[in-house]
Amino acid sequence: MPQDLAILPDEYRTADEDDLEKRIRAKKEEFGKKLLILTHHYQRVEIVRMGDRVGDSYGLAKIAANSPDAETIAFCGVHFMAEAADVLTAPNQKVYLTNATAGCPMADMAPTGKVYDAWDSIESVLGKNKVVPISYMNTTADLKAFTGRNGGLICTSSNADAAFKWAYERFEKLFFFPDQHLGRNTAKKYGVPKDQVVLYDTRKPGGGIDENTLKKARVILWQGHCYVHTKFKPEHIDLWREKNPKVKIVVHPECPEDVVDKADAVGSTSYIVEYCEEAPPGSVIAIGTELNLIHRMAVTHKDKKIYELAGDTCPVCSNMFRTTLADLCYTLENPEKANQIVVPDEIKKDAKIALERMLEIGK
Ligand code: 13P
Ligand code: SF4
């Protein structure tokens, strides 16, 4: 953190936007190819404008892995994304998370110790090599390492289907964490019957799942969720369809099953962006994901009508929103004091195995 409470020096906090943009551009000019600014689709529009690349969590991990010239990667996103970039890059490359407080509450719902305990408890019933962990990208590097060590892989919302296929070609059962909704939606798409999908409740012994049910289960879900995507309700879709029968509904797969079931299309943040790009002029689209992405789509595609699925109650990811131009400028001008993300080597090794398996299966 730059200083106590991660508060930036006044010189940055009170600088106006034009000044900050000019200074960021000057640093980009100075460093050329040695600097790479990565921005996630949920970042503020002015951050995306300053970035070299924008993408979903899969795309940004892949870009980081394939950018050996970038000695400095300034990551405008959340903590787990910057960790993944550090794992996938060489030791001479430094990855910075431009706002040190930008975490992911969903990732925090899977503390390492609790996942280990659950795994031990599951294996004590099923035995070894029956079940494989699939970790959603939204986890700590520690859990990515756990996944790599136990024969599993990482997935994102853009390749969860491919991850299920990969895993079922090798194992009978999947332990999927932390997003129960992505896990449930993917299991359904894959054709796993509902009664073979169980939810592990860490507050109960054995996850609250009796041995017979666990033995029959094909997917064991962790009880995590995203507070942004669980705000969307099927009633929002009904209201939109009533209001405009022409509307197309596109949602992120972190939304609950009853929302995903009613949508016209489901996919990662990059998928949603492509959906908006490819829709014919005059299209009406209501999107179920984070507000900043929807707003950017609405202002980018003025020949289409793009709206928030939940109207004025559409949620913002406050962690993504934390990153400001001041944070980015501070990081580029003060790398020695900025928030470098360093995953310890012993964690990196196994986390890399799991992340590389993800990159191998593609999208
Ligand atoms: P994407 O992989 O679709 O960018 O999603 C990341 C995320 O955190 C969505 O909430
Ligand atoms: Fe985490 Fe949800 Fe924010 Fe994505 S939108 S970073 S899952 S809190």
Side-chain angles (χ1 to χ4, degrees):
M1 286 188 210
Q3 51 183 73
D4 282 352
L5 299 174
I7 293 171
L8 288 177
D10 276 351
E11 191 232 321
Y12 290 88
R13 285 199 317 121
T14 58
D16 67 44
E17 273 198 16
D18 289 347
D19 177 37
L20 291 166
E21 287 203 9
K22 225 186 278 161
R23 287 158 62 178
I24 293 167
R25 284 189 209 284
K27 283 287 163 193
K28 287 173 67 144
E29 188 78 33
E30 180 188 336
F31 291 119
K33 275 195 176 157
K34 290 187 182 161
L35 169 66
L36 178 65
I37 302 176
L38 297 180
T39 68
H40 185 263
H41 283 304
Y42 293 160
Q43 291 288 299
R44 297 169 188 236
V45 70
E46 64 271 22
I47 293 287
V48 173
R49 199 166 49 229
M50 286 292 101
D52 295 304
R53 305 290 293 272
V54 58
D56 62 9
S57 56
Y58 175 85
L60 294 174
K62 195 167 163 184
I63 293 166
N66 293 320
S67 304
D69 295 338
E71 288 170 13
T72 300
I73 297 181
F75 212 116
C76 303
V78 289
H79 193 262
F80 70 81
M81 296 179 179
E83 273 193 334
D86 185 52
V87 169
L88 289 167
T89 47
N92 68 314
Q93 297 178 279
K94 291 185 175 159
V95 176
Y96 296 87
L97 179 64
T98 49
N99 183 303
T101 62
C104 168
M106 181 210 279
D108 296 342
M109 288 176 195
T112 310
K114 288 207 166 161
V115 174
Y116 282 20
D117 289 349
W119 178 251
D120 288 346
S121 153
I122 292 165
E123 278 204 332
S124 73
V125 176
L126 301 175
K128 297 251 176 237
N129 300 321
K130 282 265 189 314
V131 56
V132 65
I134 301 187
S135 161
Y136 189 28
M137 185 66 126
N138 304 36
T139 46
T140 58
D142 248 349
L143 284 179
K144 290 187 174 72
F146 157 83
T147 302
R149 266 196 310 280
N150 286 288
L153 82 170
I154 311 302
C155 77
T156 72
S157 55
S158 62
N159 63 5
D161 303 356
F164 266 50
K165 181 171 179 293
W166 183 96
Y168 278 137
E169 279 164 4
R170 293 160 176 84
F171 296 88
E172 252 176 55
K173 298 168 193 289
L174 317 183
F175 176 40
F176 188 93
F177 55 88
D179 186 19
Q180 61 171 294
H181 299 292
L182 177 65
R184 193 174 289 112
N185 290 327
T186 312
K188 186 167 185 173
K189 214 166 147 195
Y190 201 83
V192 181
K194 230 181 167 72
D195 62 350
Q196 292 176 19
V197 180
V198 294
L199 190 62
Y200 194 96
D201 183 346
T202 52
R203 292 162 305 181
K204 297 185 181 155
I209 308 164
D210 68 67
E211 291 201 359
N212 278 339
T213 308
L214 190 62
K215 281 178 184 157
K216 276 192 225 134
R218 297 208 64 214
V219 181
I220 304 153
L221 299 173
W222 192 256
Q223 215 171 19
H225 67 274
C226 164
Y227 73 95
V228 172
H229 290 94
T230 46
K231 292 278 191 306
F232 298 104
K233 305 284 171 223
E235 292 76 15
H236 293 131
I237 301 184
D238 297 340
L239 274 170
W240 268 108
R241 297 213 194 276
E242 230 173 78
K243 199 169 127 142
N244 188 335
K246 259 180 59 184
V247 74
K248 292 289 180 207
I249 310 285
V250 54
V251 303
H252 195 277
E254 287 175 13
C255 290
E257 184 185 10
D258 51 4
V259 172
V260 165
D261 283 353
K262 284 195 163 192
D264 296 298
V266 186
S268 78
T269 53
S270 286
Y271 174 88
I272 294 172
V273 168
E274 281 157 30
Y275 189 94
C276 293
E277 280 165 5
E278 284 163 19
S283 298
V284 183
I285 304 170
I287 304 179
T289 196
E290 202 273 343
L291 184 63
N292 278 286
L293 168 52
I294 304 171
H295 175 246
R296 197 156 46 82
M297 290 301 99
V299 297
T300 309
H301 303 289
K302 292 202 169 65
D303 58 336
K304 303 163 198 179
K305 299 270 178 221
I306 298 180
Y307 299 102
E308 299 81 11
L309 177 58
D312 285 346
T313 62
C314 191
V316 175
C317 175
S318 55
N319 284 276
M320 288 284 187
F321 194 65
R322 282 189 184 146
T323 304
T324 61
L325 285 175
D327 291 319
L328 177 57
C329 187
Y330 181 89
T331 302
L332 302 184
E333 291 183 352
N334 307 274
E336 68 298 337
K337 288 190 261 175
N339 180 47
Q340 192 187 343
I341 301 296
V342 183
V343 177
D345 283 346
E346 65 280 10
I347 295 175
K348 228 176 208 181
K349 186 173 111 315
D350 292 333
K352 197 167 181 179
I353 296 172
L355 277 163
E356 284 182 344
R357 281 185 188 131
M358 172 189 85
L359 293 176
E360 271 160 35
I361 61 168
K363 287 225 254 186

